[in-house]
Amino acid sequence: MDSTHTSESAAFPRQFARTRRFSLGVPRNFTLSPDGRRVLFTRTGGGRDPIGRLWLLADGAERLLADPTALVGGGDEVPEEERLLRERARERSAGVVAYATDRAVRLAVFALGGALWAVRTDGGEPFPVPAAGPVTDPRPSPDGRHIAYVTGRSLHVVEVPEKGAGAAARDRQLAAAEGPEISYGLAEYTAAESMGRLRGHWWAPDGTRLLVARVDTTHVQRRWISDPAHPDRPPRAIRYPQAGTANADVSLWVYGLDGSRTEVAWDRAAYEYVATVGWDAHGPLIGVQSRDQRTLRTLAVDPDTGATSLLDERTDAAWVELVPGTPARTASGALVRTHDVAGTRHLAVGGEAVTPAGLQVRGVLGTEGERVYFTASDDPVETHVWCHDPEADAPVRLSEGPGTHGAVVRGGTAVFHGLTPEGPYAEIRGTGGTAAPPSPTAAPSSPAGSTLVTTIASLAETPVVTPRPRHLVLGKRQLRAALYLPSWYEPGTGPLPVLLDPYAGPGMQLAVAARGWPACVSQWFAEQGFAVLVADGRGTPGRGPEWEKAVHGDQLTPALEDQVDALHAAAEQVPDLDLDRVVIRGWSFSGFLAAAAVLLRPEIFRAAVAGAAPTDQRLYDTYWKERFLGHPAERPENYERSSLTGRGHLLRRPLLLVHGLADDNVTVANMLRFSAELLAAGRPHTVLPLSGATHAPADDRVNENLLLFQRDFLRDALGLGRNAAGTRPTGPADVHGA
């Protein structure tokens, strides 16, 4: 093997960890001004710099608006509510990680170390705004005169100082928490973790009122998270709605800046989930969902009386999917949502499906006039940006080339962003709307005739290991898969041991035409001497509602069956795969799947690494788990067939269990109880506890060495040898057993 490949392979785990999975330096969180001529975004200072900064791009030039390292009072202490919000958003950087603007994008506000900061985008330095306490989720009014924020679980509104730093600002408590279990203006656990709703307060377009979520967690089960490595520290209590137990009591209230307060009325007993909330030019618009998730109602709210009226109701025998960006409305008030029929998730506008069969809608990006911008897939390995224009004969695809694309659209301009096979990108294009984009630097043709204005530079590091996936379509179910082979491997020189490296669960695809961090990790494992197979089976997104809901009532059997089928089908296409040496690894859902593989199919799988695995589905949260398996009191058989508990005696193969001791998503009780069951059954296994780690470990050293530990465990399980220096060989000789 080439020495260059050896050094690159050795350097990858450290680079992977230090770059926070190659997320640092990538521009994101884009906001466009109404005329489409100015773009705000966040980006860290480089590929290994974790400090986020706020930037403005105008007239083709970037300008730094806010640098936390230069701001007085911008410390590292983050309020607990803000910490949890960042964790739910899977945030891996610090500094300015989120911001909000007024309608004109002239004022941007953000929280930094618990302090409230603002900056005017037309010039001037960032200035602190006096607040009543540590700040979470600040949002300016559309007119830029006030800022709403949460502190101490209460919602406050502060006037924006006209003269910047040092100017007086009047702050008042708008909604006061009545007790320690009450909060105003924050999303509850279920909404943030499982529904994708991270917000808890929304301004009216005229800036005189807010729609506010009140959350009461009194009856929600309490969990205690301790740090055994520091027994002197008290445990931390969280409210966690475990499957089958009580949810938070969530209500909505309209608060006026004049002191008025009106409750929004709907049948909260029948529809306890507040799934979506918004306030557009036509008024407040909310989506409420039944506990069994089979009914989703879209309601218009009268902000004066709190009365609601039904605009739309969707039902499904399994569950109604919450599609990002829906419901929405066009300028005329036409309701924008999705409509599932005959295996296709269509875009529906004004009650009519406007997209063809086979084009699977993934999310709605927004509306401009009567146009609707959305993402969709006609091939599950790619996601593109599309536009529905009622004046056109059919939707038009706007994004170009393979990848997973998204966009922010406003003022006839779009910021396209996402991942391609070459990595992350962000570029500004005109969309053919009413406003002209600024100073185009080039004008290449595209499917929609858009015009390239400029690119926004990514400062992310290029992975030292370059993914080389071979995309495959496998088996009778046409499973989409990617096969990664060692760069140094010559076909026909001998069989390769196989590592299955899937996610294979709801909400995520890995076999896509994009260079995300999972592809880089899969290629790194390939460089260690494996043929790495990644397959997206039933239950994964991108192939329509029937495919997603094929796991309803059983999240284990179809998922494992698809992995086995993908393995055998891949071996038919690629004879170099050694089916006598197959291992599997995974995290979260795929950690559960990996453990299940060695328990239930030991004749195929020789070893497994199971990270943060939900071995007992009863321990997961209400919304996410009851969606697939129902209420545990009503469908206990679904939980039994989809859990690993009670099956520990089946273990015959090496199994590594990894879990963060501070995981508040998949509790470490899953690992501890299952390990105890294995021990009681006399089944040897390996346990790796991660002290202080949550569901997504943040420590760079942990993330670096965790890759190496998994590699060595799997290699040892297959009996692969060491070289004379005692390190793991990664060349052809090792493939056949040194």
Side-chain angles (χ1 to χ4, degrees):
M1 181 175 59
D2 191 296
S3 60
T4 301
H5 291 136
T6 304
S7 61
E8 290 176 348
S9 178
F12 177 82
R14 174 160 293 189
Q15 183 192 38
F16 173 75
R18 300 300 191 269
T19 61
R20 311 282 169 87
R21 301 182 178 184
F22 303 103
S23 65
L24 302 181
V26 177
R28 54 201 182 98
N29 301 326
F30 304 99
T31 301
L32 272 163
S33 61
D35 61 5
R37 295 180 177 275
R38 294 173 292 119
V39 182
L40 266 65
F41 62 95
T42 60
R43 186 181 58 201
T44 72
R48 300 200 182 193
D49 180 356
I51 305 302
R53 296 161 173 83
L54 181 61
W55 299 82
L56 169 70
L57 188 148
D59 299 322
E62 292 182 3
R63 178 163 65 88
L64 182 60
L65 287 180
D67 182 355
T69 63
L71 300 182
V72 177
D76 295 327
E77 293 297 323
V78 176
E80 178 67 6
E81 292 87 353
E82 179 73 13
R83 185 193 67 80
L84 291 173
L85 186 63
R86 294 184 183 188
E87 191 168 301
R88 302 290 170 251
R90 307 295 187 260
E91 180 58 59
R92 296 184 175 276
S93 59
V96 182
V97 301
Y99 67 95
T101 73
D102 61 354
R103 182 170 42 238
V105 192
R106 294 296 181 187
L107 177 75
V109 303
F110 54 92
L112 189 62
L116 176 57
W117 287 82
V119 62
R120 301 191 187 280
T121 63
D122 53 2
E125 296 297 319
F127 56 93
V129 179
V135 169
T136 297
D137 197 20
R139 294 183 179 273
S141 58
D143 58 14
R145 297 175 59 190
H146 298 89
I147 302 171
Y149 67 93
V150 178
T151 186
R153 304 182 315 282
S154 297
L155 184 70
H156 285 241
V157 172
V158 61
E159 292 180 347
V160 177
E162 293 185 3
K163 299 180 180 180
R170 190 165 67 95
D171 183 292
R172 60 195 176 102
Q173 190 178 71
L174 197 66
E178 298 93 341
E181 298 295 340
I182 310 295
S183 68
Y184 283 92
L186 295 172
E188 74 278 16
Y189 177 94
T190 299
E193 185 63 46
S194 299
M195 296 185 195
R197 176 171 65 79
L198 296 172
R199 294 180 59 180
H201 60 279
W202 301 263
W203 280 100
D206 64 3
T208 63
R209 292 182 284 192
L210 291 110
L211 188 57
V212 182
R214 179 186 186 272
V215 177
D216 183 348
T217 60
T218 300
H219 299 293
V220 179
Q221 177 181 273
R222 182 176 296 183
R223 284 183 174 178
W224 299 91
I225 297 179
S226 62
D227 186 354
H230 297 90
D232 55 308
R233 299 177 183 174
R236 176 169 58 93
I238 65 168
R239 291 295 191 180
Y240 187 94
Q242 183 174 309
T245 67
N247 282 307
D249 180 15
V250 182
S251 56
L252 294 172
W253 298 75
V254 177
Y255 278 84
L257 298 187
D258 59 3
S260 60
R261 180 176 186 258
T262 304
E263 183 175 7
V264 177
W266 76 93
D267 187 349
R268 288 170 51 209
Y271 302 94
E272 63 182 87
Y273 288 126
V274 179
T276 62
V277 184
W279 197 332
D280 61 16
H282 305 284
L285 187 68
I286 66 173
V288 296
Q289 197 169 26
S290 57
R291 173 78 182 239
D292 64 11
Q293 300 177 53
R294 295 178 181 178
T295 303
L296 175 67
R297 286 187 163 191
T298 301
L299 306 176
V301 179
D302 183 334
D304 295 324
T305 66
T308 57
S309 56
L310 180 65
L311 296 182
D312 182 71
E313 180 175 282
R314 297 174 56 203
T315 61
D316 190 276
W319 71 83
V320 178
E321 185 78 15
L322 299 182
V323 177
T326 64
R329 286 183 285 206
T330 67
S332 68
L335 187 66
V336 179
R337 62 172 182 83
T338 56
H339 179 53
D340 295 352
V341 60
T344 297
R345 178 158 294 141
H346 295 269
L347 180 72
V349 180
E352 296 184 5
V354 297
T355 50
L359 182 63
Q360 306 292 351
V361 174
R362 309 293 288 267
V364 170
L365 301 172
T367 64
E368 277 210 309
E370 299 306 306
R371 290 184 176 185
V372 180
Y373 296 91
F374 62 99
T375 54
S377 300
D378 49 14
D379 181 336
V381 303
E382 297 185 14
T383 300
H384 284 280
V385 177
W386 295 73
C387 177
H388 159 70
D389 187 334
E391 301 298 321
D393 294 332
V396 175
R397 200 184 90 179
L398 302 182
S399 52
E400 303 177 86
T404 54
H405 304 275
V408 175
V409 183
R410 198 177 185 191
T413 303
V415 180
F416 290 91
H417 58 88
L419 291 169
T420 72
E422 289 71 45
Y425 83 99
E427 62 185 29
I428 304 173
R429 286 181 176 270
T431 63
T434 56
S439 307
T441 58
S445 61
S446 74
S450 62
T451 303
L452 177 66
V453 177
T454 188
T455 60
I456 301 176
S458 172
L459 307 181
E461 287 193 10
T462 301
V464 295
V465 171
T466 302
R468 305 167 65 246
R470 175 177 172 181
H471 289 280
L472 306 172
V473 179
L474 301 173
K476 62 183 180 181
R477 282 182 290 276
Q478 301 289 285
L479 300 167
R480 292 340 192 247
L483 180 66
Y484 300 82
L485 299 176
S487 59
W488 42 263
Y489 189 71
E490 295 292 335
T493 58
L496 284 168
V498 183
L499 167 63
L500 269 63
D501 194 17
Y503 181 73
M508 185 183 299
Q509 291 174 268
L510 294 187
V512 294
R515 194 194 76 195
W517 68 262
C520 299
V521 170
S522 292
Q523 186 65 52
W524 178 79
F525 272 102
E527 301 301 333
Q528 312 309 301
F530 294 99
V532 179
L533 180 64
V534 177
D536 292 330
R538 284 168 288 178
T540 57
R543 291 187 63 174
E546 292 180 1
W547 184 263
E548 291 174 354
K549 295 170 184 177
V551 298
H552 188 241
D554 185 351
Q555 284 197 278
L556 175 53
T557 307
L560 183 55
E561 185 177 70
D562 285 348
Q563 293 303 308
V564 172
D565 288 354
L567 172 67
H568 290 149
E572 291 178 0
Q573 295 190 29
V574 184
D576 291 336
L577 306 190
D578 186 350
L579 296 187
D580 290 327
R581 294 188 294 173
V582 179
V583 294
I584 184 171
R585 68 180 286 270
W587 194 269
S588 197
F589 182 89
S590 55
F592 153 75
L593 188 61
V598 290
L599 288 175
L600 304 179
R601 302 301 300 269
E603 78 282 7
I604 296 176
F605 297 96
R606 305 300 179 182
V609 174
T615 57
D616 186 347
Q617 305 293 355
R618 298 169 188 85
L619 295 176
Y620 209 70
D621 77 67
T622 52
Y623 190 86
W624 195 247
K625 200 47 58 181
E626 291 176 14
R627 160 186 286 196
F628 305 106
L629 303 181
H631 195 289
E634 300 169 358
R635 295 287 185 268
E637 70 280 4
N638 291 347
Y639 287 81
E640 183 176 354
R641 73 166 61 96
S642 300
S643 295
L644 305 183
T645 50
R647 292 168 163 168
H649 63 283
L650 299 175
L651 185 63
R652 299 290 189 278
R653 299 295 188 186
L655 172 62
L656 169 62
L657 300 174
V658 186
H659 218 115
L661 297 182
D663 193 332
D664 62 358
N665 182 357
V666 179
T667 174
V668 71
N670 284 274
M671 184 267 282
L672 295 174
R673 293 180 185 181
F674 192 60
S675 175
E677 180 183 329
L678 293 172
L679 184 60
R683 303 304 179 194
H685 60 286
T686 303
V687 171
L688 178 60
L690 305 178
S691 179
T694 63
H695 195 61
D699 189 291
D700 291 348
R701 295 167 299 176
V702 168
N703 288 319
E704 174 183 350
N705 290 307
L706 191 54
L707 283 179
L708 301 171
F709 197 94
Q710 293 178 75
R711 176 199 65 185
D712 293 349
F713 177 85
L714 294 172
R715 292 172 60 84
D716 286 345
L718 293 178
L720 301 177
R722 298 169 180 260
N723 62 16
T727 57
R728 302 291 176 180
T730 55
D734 182 51
V735 173
H736 310 292

